[in-house]
Amino acid sequence: MMQTCPLCASPDTGHYHCDDERDYLSCRHCALVFVPAWQHLSTAEEKAVYDRHENHPDDLGYRRFLGRLFTPLVARLSPGVQGLDFGSGPGPTLSVMFEEAGYSMALFDPFYAPDASVWQRDYDFITATEVVEHLAAPGREIERLLDHLRPGGCLGLMTKRVRSRETFADWHYIRDPSHVAFFSESTFQWLGRRFELDVIFPADDVVLLQKR
């Protein structure tokens, strides 16, 4: 049983890999690799995974990790602009780093900060760190984020990228049962073409998508 691509909605998908736990399909149009919907965790199971995360603003190692996105993004921002941290998690930290640097931040997380009022305004930058790989409907969510990004604004994503079919089988990233969508450089280039975005790769697991 095949599934249309959850990013671009193309029906042109096929087998990419399988292991003892799940199947992985790939889209021939946008190059997304994804787990079919019927093999996703339930909402309660997914939240149980996130509840085990122990991220905190006082964790200097975690701050260094987030710096891979923070540093190249903050270099592109004008003073005092407004941001949104999407998928902020149980211990918001990146938003604290931006607030310390003088930027106002809104938070949204479907489990920990489900404040729908954030969608009533637009933002100069939006961040999502270790989020897009969890999205069952990444096309819908990324389009919503871009809809709330002002012209010239930047969407900063942190997620590890698919390198090749040969390395995929031993990739630690697919061991997390809450990871269901896997992006490659080609996938982000497709997003750039689809939404007229400039695509910048400042680190192996970071991409900046800037509205023209």
Side-chain angles (χ1 to χ4, degrees):
M1 182 178 180
M2 290 293 103
Q3 178 183 325
T4 58
C5 176
L7 179 62
C8 70
S10 171
D12 192 9
T13 65
H15 170 80
Y16 188 79
H17 175 68
C18 65
D19 55 30
D20 292 340
E21 302 297 328
R22 307 189 294 181
D23 298 303
Y24 304 85
L25 309 179
S26 65
C27 177
R28 298 180 182 92
H29 185 61
C30 71
L32 185 77
V33 177
F34 61 97
V35 175
W38 57 89
Q39 294 180 349
H40 292 190
L41 297 178
S42 68
T43 300
E45 290 169 333
E46 185 181 1
K47 185 175 184 297
V49 172
Y50 306 148
D51 286 343
R52 295 197 294 269
H53 292 182
E54 296 182 351
N55 302 324
H56 193 274
D58 293 335
D59 185 337
L60 296 182
Y62 187 47
R63 280 177 173 254
R64 283 193 296 272
F65 170 73
L66 295 175
R68 295 166 65 84
L69 173 60
F70 174 82
T71 300
L73 179 52
V74 78
R76 293 174 171 271
L77 300 179
S78 300
V81 297
Q82 297 178 319
L84 168 69
D85 189 23
F86 176 75
S88 49
T93 299
L94 185 61
S95 58
V96 173
M97 294 167 64
F98 277 106
E99 287 169 347
E100 290 170 347
Y103 301 95
S104 62
M105 294 294 293
L107 301 179
F108 182 82
D109 189 290
F111 296 110
Y112 305 104
D115 180 8
S117 70
V118 302
W119 306 118
Q120 296 175 8
R121 53 191 184 277
D122 296 336
Y123 302 91
D124 301 291
F125 67 100
I126 299 174
T127 58
T129 54
E130 295 289 311
V131 171
V132 294
E133 66 274 12
H134 298 277
L135 298 179
R140 183 181 66 207
E141 294 296 350
I142 290 173
E143 188 162 4
R144 175 165 68 164
L145 296 178
L146 293 172
D147 282 345
H148 289 277
L149 190 64
R150 294 184 179 120
C154 198
L155 172 60
L157 306 178
M158 177 180 282
T159 188
K160 296 192 182 303
R161 298 200 288 271
V162 175
R163 298 298 178 189
S164 69
R165 188 188 294 263
E166 291 72 29
T167 60
F168 191 86
D170 296 322
W171 194 24
H172 76 280
Y173 220 48
I174 67 174
R175 307 294 176 226
D176 186 326
S178 65
H179 290 181
V180 296
F182 306 94
F183 294 69
S184 65
E185 186 170 314
S186 296
T187 311
F188 289 122
Q189 297 289 6
W190 176 86
L191 282 169
R193 294 190 298 273
R194 168 66 178 81
F195 293 104
E196 298 185 347
L197 309 167
D198 291 326
V199 182
I200 304 103
F201 297 106
D204 287 346
D205 55 354
V206 174
V207 60
L208 305 179
L209 303 172
Q210 188 161 21
K211 269 194 173 180
R212 295 173 185 160

